[in-house]
Amino acid sequence: MSTTPAPAYPHRWLILAALVTVLLMTPLDMSAVNVILPTLRQQFGASVGAVSWVSLAYLLVIVGLLLLVGRLGDLWGFRRLFLIGVALFTVSSALCGLSHTVPALFGEGALRLFGLPSLIAARVLQGVGACMMMALSSGIVTAVFPPGERGRAMGFLGMGIATGLVLGPTLGGLLTHWFGWPWIFYINVPIGLFGGLWVRRLLPPLAPHRPTPVDWPGALLIIATLATLMLGVTLVETAGWRSPLVLGLLAASLLVGGALVRHERRSPHPMLDFALFAHPVFAGANLAAMMNYLGQFTAIFITPFALRYGMDRDPRQIGLTMAALPVAVLVLAPISGALSDRFGTRALAALGETIVAAGLFVLALVIGRGQPVPIIAALALVGIGAGLFQSPNASAIMGSLPRTHLGIGGSVLAVVRNLGMAVGIATSSAALAIGSQWYRGAHPTAPAAQAILYAAQIGYAIGAAFALLGALTSAVREDHPSQSLS
């Protein structure tokens, strides 16, 4: 595949700054909300499972709509849909915060009946807005930056996402402590207004390509396939792999996915052109991206449990320890993006994944010793590898596409990223449950802390295997130096 050279946009770095400003809200919100889930459970008087839908609804909507939004961006233009996404995210953030006013309007008895559902409904709308921004941002960057600067621009985009992940837990805890949990959402309102106006002023129309009919049946099949898959994966933690509900959802995803493939191959204007996956760079780099996030999220999910229940660390200590990973990504992402512009993407991506695997292996060795410095160093090593990998790999994916498919290509990458996160969390949860159960059965008199640390070691080993598979995938695919795109 080839691409048409991007025209020169003199304000492209200011456009990137505006994009990063508004995109910062999505990872910040995602990570900050996890901090307040216990507070929400107490205020709304709901179960852990019910409160978990505050996060789950947001994630499911994003994954289900990403490909549709990306395709619509290709057909209708990036600028309009991106600005609609910013506006929707901003308004729904205010609605999320206002959901705490239910008891004042209807009395305390209505808090559980209306308060939590109203928050979840607002999170669904927020997920739609976040999806529109996430799906189109990579396509916008690819469209406005010339090939020789694309990797560096992708690096700064990744740095913005990492910044949100770093700030989210700390900012969420402080805002909740000082002002109350609604301010986690209210803070998005001024950011969204300022960033949206900035994007509106700077971003050119980026005229859509030749209009073609939207493949609505294909879009519905994509949503159904991803929704059943994601719902099945996320329910593993509470229902177990053998649950009829989980198995039924996963089977449904396979059946609907088969119908999707048959439909898209026959459609004259497919929503998802499977011919894209015939390109070795696009297919290989997306597979490597999934393995990367699978590996990363074993560390992100397992480590807080190991620190809390294996070492009796408090939430403040856990937050400070976990910050090592995204801080390392924040530092390395723009550097690796700039390097990929000069030296190509394959070697950096393979090296990054190898370092992620090494970091996870070191975590498995040091997690049971109870010493914070080696754990922080190992998490930083995982972050260094992820930072080296992500920008070159994203640049390779987007650089392999024709300009008519930038929106759908960015959406595929976002879907792969979120699927990797979800499957990584489900796999880690299963490793903790099964590993702990086996250890307690084999050592009935051992402390519970030892069981959780043993299970954490198993989870880290599985994550390292995922990362090594991603490194191998990156090493054997074609190289795709950004400056060679034409």
Side-chain angles (χ1 to χ4, degrees):
M1 293 183 186
S2 62
T3 61
T4 304
Y9 291 97
H11 302 299
R12 55 189 176 274
W13 290 105
L14 287 176
I15 293 172
L16 178 63
L19 291 177
V20 170
T21 298
V22 292
L23 278 174
L24 184 68
M25 297 187 293
T26 58
L28 190 151
D29 216 58
M30 188 182 298
S31 58
V33 165
N34 292 329
V35 175
I36 66 168
L37 290 181
T39 303
L40 295 177
R41 182 191 177 196
Q42 181 180 4
Q43 175 165 352
F44 289 117
S47 66
V48 174
V51 170
S52 70
W53 278 94
V54 176
S55 294
L56 186 58
Y58 182 80
L59 183 61
L60 287 176
V61 169
I62 290 174
V63 173
L65 295 180
L66 274 169
L67 293 176
L68 173 60
V69 172
R71 185 58 180 150
L72 293 179
D74 286 329
L75 298 177
W76 297 349
F78 294 157
R79 183 178 185 270
R80 183 197 321 172
L81 289 183
F82 189 88
L83 290 173
I84 292 173
V86 175
L88 185 58
F89 190 91
T90 304
V91 172
S92 58
S93 294
L95 294 177
C96 286
L98 289 172
S99 64
H100 82 295
T101 62
V102 167
L105 296 175
F106 302 104
E108 291 294 333
L111 185 60
R112 182 175 180 179
L113 186 59
F114 297 109
L116 186 59
S118 67
L119 175 58
I120 293 172
R123 285 286 281 173
V124 169
L125 293 176
Q126 199 180 35
V128 176
C131 173
M132 298 175 82
M133 292 189 285
M134 295 168 69
L136 303 175
S137 56
S138 295
I140 292 173
V141 169
T142 307
V144 302
F145 278 88
E149 297 177 347
R150 191 172 294 141
R152 188 155 39 123
M154 288 290 187
F156 280 107
L157 201 65
M159 186 177 69
I161 294 173
T163 300
L165 293 173
V166 171
L167 292 177
T170 302
L171 186 60
L174 292 175
L175 287 173
T176 301
H177 178 74
W178 289 336
F179 306 111
W181 65 262
W183 281 92
I184 288 180
F185 301 107
Y186 287 150
I187 196 173
N188 293 328
V189 175
I191 297 175
L193 289 173
F194 170 76
L197 291 173
W198 195 9
V199 172
R200 184 176 183 273
R201 180 174 181 179
L202 291 175
L203 188 62
L206 299 177
H209 303 286
R210 184 175 59 85
T212 56
V214 176
D215 177 22
W216 291 109
L220 293 175
L221 286 170
I222 288 172
I223 292 171
T225 301
L226 293 175
T228 51
L229 175 61
M230 284 291 296
L231 193 56
V233 168
T234 52
L235 288 177
V236 167
E237 183 180 355
T238 55
W241 281 107
R242 298 180 181 179
S243 164
L245 177 60
V246 169
L247 294 176
L249 286 168
L250 295 179
S253 72
L254 289 176
L255 292 175
V256 180
L260 168 66
V261 173
R262 289 193 299 272
H263 172 80
E264 294 295 81
R265 286 180 173 174
R266 297 172 181 173
S267 174
H269 305 289
M271 178 63 64
L272 176 59
D273 187 357
F274 284 97
L276 293 174
F277 293 94
H279 193 289
V281 174
F282 184 83
N286 271 296
L287 177 59
M290 176 167 280
M291 295 301 103
N292 172 67
Y293 286 101
L294 277 165
Q296 270 192 74
F297 268 72
T298 58
I300 291 172
F301 183 83
I302 290 174
T303 306
F305 285 93
L307 294 174
R308 178 67 185 91
Y309 299 110
M311 302 180 192
D312 198 29
R313 299 291 193 265
D314 61 44
R316 181 184 62 86
Q317 293 170 318
I318 294 172
L320 291 174
T321 301
M322 293 301 299
L325 196 159
V327 165
V329 176
L330 177 65
V331 173
L332 267 295
I335 297 175
S336 65
L339 289 174
S340 72
D341 288 334
R342 295 188 60 187
F343 303 113
T345 60
R346 184 179 62 183
L348 282 170
L351 175 62
E353 283 275 58
T354 304
I355 294 174
V356 169
L360 290 166
F361 180 73
V362 172
L363 269 174
L365 295 178
V366 304
I367 194 65
R369 299 179 183 178
Q371 299 175 353
V373 173
I375 296 173
I376 291 172
L379 287 170
L381 193 61
V382 174
I384 289 170
L388 283 174
F389 168 83
Q390 289 173 12
S391 299
N393 196 70
S395 182
I397 290 172
M398 300 305 296
S400 68
L401 295 169
R403 290 179 60 78
T404 55
H405 287 71
L406 294 181
I408 195 67
S411 299
V412 169
L413 176 58
V415 168
V416 165
R417 178 169 61 240
N418 284 279
L419 281 176
M421 292 177 184
V423 177
I425 289 173
T427 303
S428 300
S429 177
L432 287 177
I434 296 171
S436 298
Q437 184 178 9
W438 182 90
Y439 190 89
R440 286 194 297 267
H443 306 86
T445 60
Q450 292 184 9
I452 195 70
L453 293 175
Y454 173 81
Q457 290 177 315
I458 294 177
Y460 292 142
I462 294 172
F466 284 135
L468 284 175
L469 180 58
L472 179 62
T473 303
S474 297
V476 300
R477 69 165 171 83
E478 294 179 11
D479 204 353
H480 210 291
S482 295
Q483 68 268 29
S484 69
L485 299 180
S486 59

